[in-house]
Amino acid sequence: MCLAIPGKVVETFEQRGLHMAKVQFGGIVREACLEYMPETQIGEYVLVHVGFAISRVDEAEAERTYQALMDLDQLTELESPVVEEMEPGEDRR
Amino acid sequence: MKYLDEYRDGKVARKIVDEIRRIQTKPWVIMEVCGGQTHSIVKNGLDYLLPEDVELVHGPGCPVCVTPLEMIDKAHAIARRPEVIFCSFGDMLRVPGSEGDLFTIKSEGGDVRVVYSPLDCLKIARANPDKKVVFFAIGFETTAPANAMLVSRAQKEGVPNVSILVSHVLVPPSIAAILQSPQNRVQGFLGPGHVCAIMGYREYEPMSSRFNVPIVITGFEPLDILQGTLMTIRQLETGRAEVENEYSRILDREGNRPAQKLVSSVFEIADRKWRGIGTIPKSGYKLRWEFREHDAEKLFNVKEIDTREPEICISGQILRGIKKPHDCPAFGTLCTPQRPLGATMVSAEGACAAYYAYGRHLKAEKEQRQAVHVLGGVA
């Protein structure tokens, strides 16, 4: 679980004062926090660990690493449920 | 997938292995620190490519593995409380405590949730102001910035009902503990790439000179590991002991400064117990006093839980590179990923689980059957 997954930044936005991005990993898009990589631009590739971009990579490295992680079955965290912003009382579980 | 070839190319691998064979004159024991590296080595059989007297031993860098059983029991005690929503990364769910796992607690009605990012806990906490949201904050330096951000935001945004149960550990003190052990066999280290993406590798330099041991910060792909091994052997054969960076395409000496800054504002260094190894001084993080209102251990005041690990388990020696999974009489028989007896079997990144997953238990099966017979069927 200490391995970070490379993905492509497809959108950036602010959320409650945090610099955030949508990052594409293969066919999955997830949110990632950019606070630790504040200079990141749309179209760049970043290594993301538990929802945080920690390092920048180039496209070639991103593809290679992604494939290596797939080989090692280390991409399952991307399938974790998406938690949306909810109003109090809206969380029906 | 046009870029794959370079790092998966058999010819390049062969070249590196040939170079290792050319320069290697003495037997060497090298430890890969990170669980991801262990997994990659075992899956790809990289250790079989190396000369017979170059031995790779598997280090303590699997965070799920080294989380103490008491801490898992504490997590379970908190998760069972009706006012709690207990959040965790997916890989902690099936780790057995003294009684059952988080899955069992969920099936018995506990509100246990898998989250992708620690920040998800803030959303859950805001939506459930009458509940206490607890996040199981385990991991090495790679995960600490994410957990630090959760606590920092909870305080800044005034979300009082979120806390973390901290079991954070650090790589350098564990390497030092291995090197200080009188039984130590390890002569060189493949350092953990993604940990150093956060921390850089400055802090490994004094350790390398103090213990006169090469440390090569290495990635986890097959060619990274072979290249890191070559760089380590080159140092050993020429009598050098330095920190080198095989993974320069990802990280530099300084690491990620903004992440380091937030981590040190939220956490402070503390003694930590490591499953299988015991307490290592100054080997982890605890929350700073300013954040005590988000410290689950303080909030829930769970009493100290006395746990005992099976005596047969040798995971402590495996984590320090003294033994290999095959050396354990319970490996693959009494102890399997479905019924793990100790640290190195509880997560897929543990050495025993990796050996098991890739069929290495079959090779030694006969001897083990004999060993189990000798043990008289301890279950």
Side-chain angles (χ1 to χ4, degrees):
Chain A
M1 69 165 277
C2 268
L3 297 181
I5 304 173
K8 184 180 186 176
V9 176
V10 293
E11 191 187 323
T12 58
F13 57 99
E14 291 282 315
Q15 190 176 61
R16 291 182 183 267
L18 283 183
H19 193 25
M20 301 289 292
K22 292 206 163 146
V23 179
Q24 183 167 6
F25 306 92
I28 303 172
V29 175
R30 300 221 56 147
E31 285 183 5
C33 178
L34 292 184
E35 288 289 316
Y36 299 133
M37 296 296 295
E39 311 290 305
T40 308
Q41 303 292 319
I42 293 172
E44 289 183 321
Y45 288 80
V46 285
L47 276 183
V48 177
H49 180 60
V50 295
F52 285 76
I54 58 167
S55 178
R56 200 166 292 126
V57 291
D58 65 29
E59 187 183 356
E61 172 65 18
E63 282 210 25
R64 213 163 44 216
T65 307
Y66 189 82
Q67 187 63 37
L69 287 165
M70 196 187 293
D71 289 350
L72 289 172
D73 198 20
Q74 292 273 352
L75 296 176
T76 45
E77 66 179 66
L78 294 176
E79 290 155 22
S80 311
V82 174
V83 179
E84 302 285 358
E85 284 282 349
M86 296 165 283
E87 293 299 318
E90 215 189 344
D91 186 14
R92 289 180 216 92
R93 279 179 61 123
Chain B
M1 291 291 153
K2 55 191 171 188
Y3 297 111
L4 296 181
D5 297 351
E6 188 189 341
Y7 273 73
R8 301 160 63 79
D9 187 335
K11 269 190 216 148
V12 181
R14 173 53 55 199
K15 244 171 133 177
I16 301 173
V17 172
D18 285 348
E19 180 63 7
I20 291 174
R21 289 183 189 278
R22 193 183 69 77
I23 64 166
Q24 179 251 343
T25 62
K26 297 187 197 106
W28 301 113
V29 177
I30 298 167
M31 172 179 277
E32 86 281 356
V33 172
C34 159
Q37 292 168 334
T38 302
H39 196 115
S40 182
I41 288 166
V42 180
K43 160 137 197 178
N44 295 294
L46 301 178
D47 45 347
Y48 293 153
L49 296 177
L50 299 173
E52 245 177 50
D53 50 0
V54 171
E55 192 186 349
L56 293 181
V57 293
H58 318 302
C62 158
V64 176
C65 298
V66 299
T67 302
L69 188 54
E70 300 87 293
M71 194 54 87
I72 293 165
D73 284 349
K74 270 187 195 175
H76 293 180
I78 294 171
R80 282 195 187 92
R81 297 170 76 124
E83 77 277 24
V84 165
I85 299 176
F86 194 85
C87 300
S88 164
F89 295 132
D91 39 11
M92 287 309 286
L93 249 63
R94 290 210 182 273
V95 177
S98 299
E99 285 171 57
D101 55 23
L102 286 170
F103 253 115
T104 326
I105 293 167
K106 191 176 165 73
S107 70
E108 289 165 0
D111 195 343
V112 176
R113 304 188 189 184
V114 171
V115 293
Y116 168 64
S117 162
L119 291 181
D120 291 340
C121 300
L122 284 175
K123 298 180 189 168
I124 296 170
R126 280 193 294 257
N128 296 277
D130 52 335
K131 294 274 189 176
K132 292 176 177 169
V133 175
V134 182
F135 180 66
F136 199 1
I138 72 149
F140 280 90
E141 291 93 324
T142 331
T143 317
N147 296 340
M149 185 66 82
L150 166 61
V151 175
S152 161
R153 296 307 297 180
Q155 195 177 65
K156 213 166 269 175
E157 293 179 32
V159 187
N161 59 326
V162 69
S163 62
I164 66 174
L165 179 63
V166 186
S167 187
H168 255 295
V169 282
L170 302 167
V171 170
S174 72
I175 292 184
I178 288 165
L179 289 168
Q180 279 165 326
S181 157
Q183 293 165 287
N184 175 48
R185 306 166 59 217
V186 182
Q187 295 158 297
F189 288 88
L190 305 183
H194 289 180
V195 162
C196 293
I198 299 291
M199 301 304 290
Y201 52 84
R202 193 192 268 275
E203 59 183 333
Y204 293 79
E205 290 166 354
M207 199 159 54
S208 171
S209 18
R210 178 180 160 205
F211 294 101
N212 196 33
V213 62
I215 302 174
V216 178
I217 311 304
T218 303
F220 67 92
E221 292 169 58
L223 288 187
D224 284 321
I225 289 165
L226 291 175
Q227 181 66 27
T229 307
L230 170 61
M231 290 165 76
T232 309
I233 293 175
R234 205 176 266 148
Q235 286 200 42
L236 289 166
E237 289 283 346
T238 54
R240 283 183 299 134
E242 298 161 15
V243 177
E244 287 183 291
N245 184 11
E246 185 278 331
Y247 212 23
S248 57
R249 62 187 196 277
I250 294 292
L251 62 100
D252 60 21
R253 182 168 180 261
E254 304 305 324
N256 185 317
R257 283 286 176 78
Q260 292 166 19
K261 200 173 153 208
L262 194 80
V263 166
S264 57
S265 73
V266 170
F267 292 116
E268 61 185 317
I269 303 283
D271 296 352
R272 278 278 166 205
K273 188 171 173 187
W274 296 54
R275 188 171 191 177
I277 296 179
T279 300
I280 303 177
K282 297 180 180 170
S283 67
Y285 289 132
K286 67 174 183 185
L287 275 175
R288 288 188 179 277
W289 187 81
E290 303 92 283
F291 297 95
R292 64 196 177 285
E293 280 157 25
H294 300 286
D295 187 340
E297 260 190 293
K298 291 201 169 71
L299 293 180
F300 293 95
N301 199 17
V302 181
K303 61 178 190 319
E304 283 306 313
I305 298 169
D306 187 30
T307 56
R308 223 155 276 161
E309 302 268 9
E311 270 175 35
I312 193 171
C313 177
I314 62 162
S315 60
Q317 288 163 289
I318 295 173
L319 290 167
R320 284 173 292 171
I322 298 162
K323 291 200 169 164
K324 293 292 235 342
H326 287 139
D327 299 324
C328 177
F331 172 67
T333 53
L334 297 176
C335 181
T336 61
Q338 290 72 40
R339 282 205 322 159
L341 292 184
T344 40
M345 193 62 103
V346 296
S347 156
E349 288 169 27
C352 291
Y355 272 52
Y356 189 89
Y358 298 110
R360 294 200 179 184
H361 56 299
L362 302 172
K363 212 176 62 174
E365 203 176 38
K366 202 176 142 201
E367 296 144 61
Q368 271 154 13
R369 225 179 282 141
Q370 224 161 353
V372 171
H373 178 72
V374 172
L375 289 166
V378 187

